[in-house]
Structures are given as C-alpha cells and as structure tokens.
C-alpha cells in the first residue's frame, strides 16, 4: 500500500526571496513598457553641446596659459636669485679667506688683533657692539667686517626669497596640471559626443566647418578701414600669414595657435611684447568700447570672462584662432559676444 506523504513546504525565507524577485521583475517590466524610447540627439544638438564644451575648454586653456606663463616667470626669477646667491657666496668666501690669511699671519707672530678676534667670534654682532673693541679697530678693518656681515644677511634674505618662490612654483605646477586635465576632459567629452554621429552627419559638420574656414588665398571684403598703427598693422599681417594654421590649445606658434597664442605671436613679429593670456592682453592697451571706432590691428575681446581674443580685420570681420577643430580664419565680429577692443 502506497504511503501518502504531505509535500514539503518551502521555507519562509525561500518564499520571501521568490516573492521579492517576482515583484522586481514585474516592476522592471512595467517600467520598460511605460518608459519612452530613448531618442538619439540630432546632429544639431550634438554640435551645440560640442561647441559649448569647446568654449569651456578654451576658458580652461586661458587659465592653463596663465599658469604656464607664471611658471616660466618664476623659473627665471629663481634662476636669477640662485645665480646671485652663488656669486654672493663666492664673494663671502673671498672676504673670509682674506681675513683668515690675516689671522694666520698674526698667529705666526704671536698676536691676534681685535679685528681678527671679532671675525672668529661666535657672535660678531655682540662683539661689534662693544665700543671698546670698535675703538681698537682700524677703519679698514671695520669696513671689512661690515662687508662680511652685510653679505651674510644678503645671502640669508636671498635664500629665503628663493625658498618662497620654489613653494609658489610647486603650487603653480600643480595648478598647471589641473588646468591641463580640465582641458583634456572637455575635449574628450566633446569627441565622445562626435563619435555618436553617423559618417554622413560627421561629413556634413566637416563640410560646414570647411566653408567657415576660408583658405589663406580667399580674402573676405575687409573694406578700407585704417590700421590702428604701423606696428598693429604689422602684427595683423603676421597673423594673416598664418591663415589655415590649426588651433591647438596652449600653442603660440609658429605652426599652430590658440586664440591668445596667435595675438601674442603676431605682435612679437612686429617687435611688440604683450602678455600671453587674453585676460592680460585685455589690459595691455587703450580700451575701445564702440565697434565703429575699431581699426585694423586692434585686439577684440569676447565673452564676459574675456576668454577669447582676436584681431579686428575691418568691415565687421575679425581674424582669430577660434577653437579646437578649426584653423586661423576670418569670421564676423557678431558671431560671439563682443566686449571691447584694445589698441596696443
């Protein structure tokens, strides 16, 4: 006779797990069914986002340029101080050697005068404070001792100054690395967006960019606007010779440029030294707030934070290095928010 056993009931824990899993599956299915299908951004939407990222990258680029310029300046200052310290140490050694020779000579004769005792003292300042000792020193001996002390103080001050600048240099290098990472991150994000486009969409964007980037042989109508000055015109002509050169962040010529790299390089060709960054160049000359008063060769600043700069070319046109993915070219001054011009 067959035995009838009661089926084994699942444990409470197993029931709970199964119930939870089933509920989760139902919820996920419901969400998937109700969620609107994700739409791929259009070519124009991608371009707008990429342009915004490029603008942010250019802003970071100018900060990078500022940190790089500061680094170079600090390195030169530190090098000068270190050279001065080295020469000062040689002078101090010579003074000590000459006094040491005098001490040796007096020792051989059996007497060391007060000036040499002063030199050998562990506390020369205290010794010099003693009027009786000063009375015993000749004017020449006093002068020699003062030179030693002055040189010691000078070297201590220079070494302290060098130490401070080295600390500043270290923090500047850290800032430089941070800004470089910011630029690279923005450019990488922009490239990632561009990679979502089809081959046809990429070709369409490239064609539009090609139309905007006029070759050096094709000149826009610049009108007959007078140059700001002979040197400003020379700088503008130097920039004209670089039409078609690619934009590269942090570059200042001669084969690639960022916006302020082009303007600083061009003025250097005209024999004029101006600061490296757009923000600093904004204060390098007389500001002109009316577009109607601009002349060829004037610098033109854009955006509220002044992170973009170019040359006024005449007839409402500028000559500049726009952004990543473009080349040095002419463009309408109205394509960006104009702030003011600067006449060097």
């Amino acid at each position: 006779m067959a035995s009838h056993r009661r089926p084994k009931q699942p444990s409470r824990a197993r029931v709970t797990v199964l119930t939870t899993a089933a509920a989760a599956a139902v919820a996920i299915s419901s969400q998937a069914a109700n969620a609107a299908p994700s739409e791929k951004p259009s070519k124009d939407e991608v371009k707008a986002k990429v342009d915004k990222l490029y603008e942010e990258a250019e802003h970071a680029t100018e900060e990078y340029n500022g940190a790089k310029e500061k680094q170079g300046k600090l390195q030169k200052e530190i090098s000068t101080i270190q050279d001065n310290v080295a020469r000062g140490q040689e002078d101090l050694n010579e003074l000590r050697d000459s006094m040491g020779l005098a001490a040796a000579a007096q020792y051989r004769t059996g007497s060391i005068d007060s000036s040499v005792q002063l030199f050998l003292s562990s506390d020369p300042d205290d010794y010099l404070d003693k009027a009786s000792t000063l009375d015993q020193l000749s004017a020449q001996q006093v002068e020699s001792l003062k030179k030693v002390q002055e040189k010691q103080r000078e070297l201590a001050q220079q070494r302290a100054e060098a130490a401070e600048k080295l600390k500043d240099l270290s923090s500047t290098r850290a800032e430089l690395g941070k800004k470089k990472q910011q630029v690279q991150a923005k450019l990488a994000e922009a490239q990632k967006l561009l990679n979502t486009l089809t081959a046809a969409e990429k070709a369409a964007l490239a064609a539009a960019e090609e139309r905007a980037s006029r070759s050096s042989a094709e000149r826009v109508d610049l009108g007959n606007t007078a140059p700001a000055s002979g040197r400003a015109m020379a700088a503008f002509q130097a920039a004209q010779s670089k039409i078609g050169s690619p934009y590269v962040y942090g570059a200042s010529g001669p084969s690639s440029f960022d916006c302020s790299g082009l303007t600083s390089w061009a003025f250097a060709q005209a024999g004029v030294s101006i600061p490296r960054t757009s923000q600093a160049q904004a204060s390098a000359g007389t500001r002109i707030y009316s577009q109607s008063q601009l002349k060829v060769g004037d610098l033109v600043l854009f955006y509220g934070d002044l992170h973009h700069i170019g040359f006024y070319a005449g007839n409402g046109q500028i000559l500049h290095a726009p952004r990543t993915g473009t080349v040095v070219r002419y463009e309408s001054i109205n394509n960006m928010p104009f702030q003011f011009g600067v006449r060097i």
Side-chain angles (χ1 to χ4, degrees):
M1 181 177 176
S3 62
H4 298 280
R5 296 180 180 177
R6 187 178 179 180
K8 186 178 180 181
Q9 297 297 319
S11 68
R12 180 177 297 177
R14 186 163 178 258
V15 169
T16 301
V17 170
L18 291 173
T19 303
T20 303
V26 170
I28 292 172
S29 300
S30 176
Q31 290 173 3
N34 295 330
S38 59
E39 294 183 0
K40 178 178 176 293
S42 69
K43 172 174 65 67
D44 291 339
E45 289 173 333
V46 169
K47 184 180 184 304
K49 290 179 181 178
V50 167
D51 287 347
K52 180 63 175 174
L53 285 167
Y54 281 154
E55 182 187 331
E56 293 171 356
E58 189 179 32
H59 173 77
T61 293
E62 288 304 293
E63 292 181 332
Y64 166 85
N65 290 336
K68 191 174 182 179
E69 185 179 41
K70 182 179 179 182
Q71 175 184 255
K73 183 179 178 182
L74 282 170
Q75 287 173 328
K76 288 180 181 178
E77 290 174 350
I78 290 168
S79 179
T80 298
I81 293 172
Q82 290 174 335
D83 288 345
N84 291 338
V85 168
R87 284 193 296 269
Q89 188 63 54
E90 289 176 0
D91 294 342
L92 180 59
N93 292 341
E94 288 178 6
L95 287 170
R96 285 174 169 168
D97 288 345
S98 64
M99 295 190 75
L101 290 173
Q106 291 171 17
Y107 180 79
R108 286 194 295 271
T109 62
S111 65
I112 300 180
D113 71 19
S114 56
S115 67
V116 178
Q117 291 179 38
L118 176 58
F119 173 68
L120 298 176
S121 171
S122 61
D123 192 353
D125 286 329
D126 180 62
Y127 200 101
L128 275 174
D129 287 339
K130 298 176 182 177
S132 59
T133 302
L134 286 173
D135 290 341
Q136 298 174 42
L137 299 178
S138 68
Q140 184 177 359
Q141 291 168 331
V142 170
E143 188 63 28
S144 295
L145 290 165
K146 284 183 177 179
K147 284 182 179 179
V148 169
Q149 290 177 310
E150 288 172 3
K151 185 59 67 175
Q152 287 174 327
R153 284 193 290 267
E154 180 185 337
L155 288 175
Q157 183 177 351
Q158 288 177 333
R159 287 190 176 107
E161 184 181 355
E164 284 300 313
K165 288 188 180 295
L166 283 168
K167 284 174 59 179
D168 197 2
L169 178 61
S170 178
S171 62
T172 300
R173 282 176 173 161
E175 181 186 0
L176 187 64
K178 181 180 177 182
K179 296 304 178 187
K180 185 176 182 178
Q181 288 178 347
Q182 287 179 357
V183 174
Q184 291 174 332
K186 296 293 183 184
L187 297 180
E189 190 176 350
Q191 188 58 55
K192 186 176 179 180
L193 278 170
L194 290 172
N195 289 341
T196 65
L197 299 176
T198 65
E201 289 171 331
K202 289 179 182 178
L205 286 181
E209 198 61 58
E210 180 64 26
R211 288 192 297 271
S213 300
R214 299 174 176 87
S215 68
S216 58
E218 183 183 354
R219 298 296 174 87
V220 297
D221 179 12
L222 301 179
N224 55 1
T225 308
S229 68
R231 287 195 169 183
M233 188 64 186
F236 175 70
Q237 289 172 339
Q240 279 183 315
S241 72
K242 294 301 176 179
I243 290 175
S245 298
Y247 178 103
V248 175
Y249 85 88
S252 56
S255 56
S256 58
F257 304 87
D258 60 25
C259 68
S260 59
L262 175 67
T263 50
S264 59
W265 175 88
F267 266 104
Q269 309 316 299
V272 180
S273 177
I274 63 174
R276 174 62 176 88
T277 66
S278 59
Q279 290 90 344
Q281 290 176 19
S283 301
T286 304
R287 293 190 177 185
I288 301 163
Y289 291 94
S290 172
Q291 290 188 24
S292 64
Q293 295 178 355
L294 292 173
K295 295 184 177 182
V296 174
D298 283 338
L299 298 176
V300 279
L301 278 297
F302 299 92
Y303 300 99
D305 58 7
L306 309 179
H307 72 256
H308 191 74
I309 194 167
F311 281 102
Y312 185 65
N315 200 26
Q317 299 289 315
I318 62 167
L319 177 60
H320 67 148
R323 54 174 174 74
T324 298
T326 65
V327 298
V328 175
R329 70 190 188 196
Y330 295 111
E331 200 165 330
S332 170
I333 196 172
N334 297 317
N335 285 358
M336 294 173 289
F338 170 81
Q339 301 300 306
F340 51 82
V342 173
R343 186 160 297 158
I344 303 297

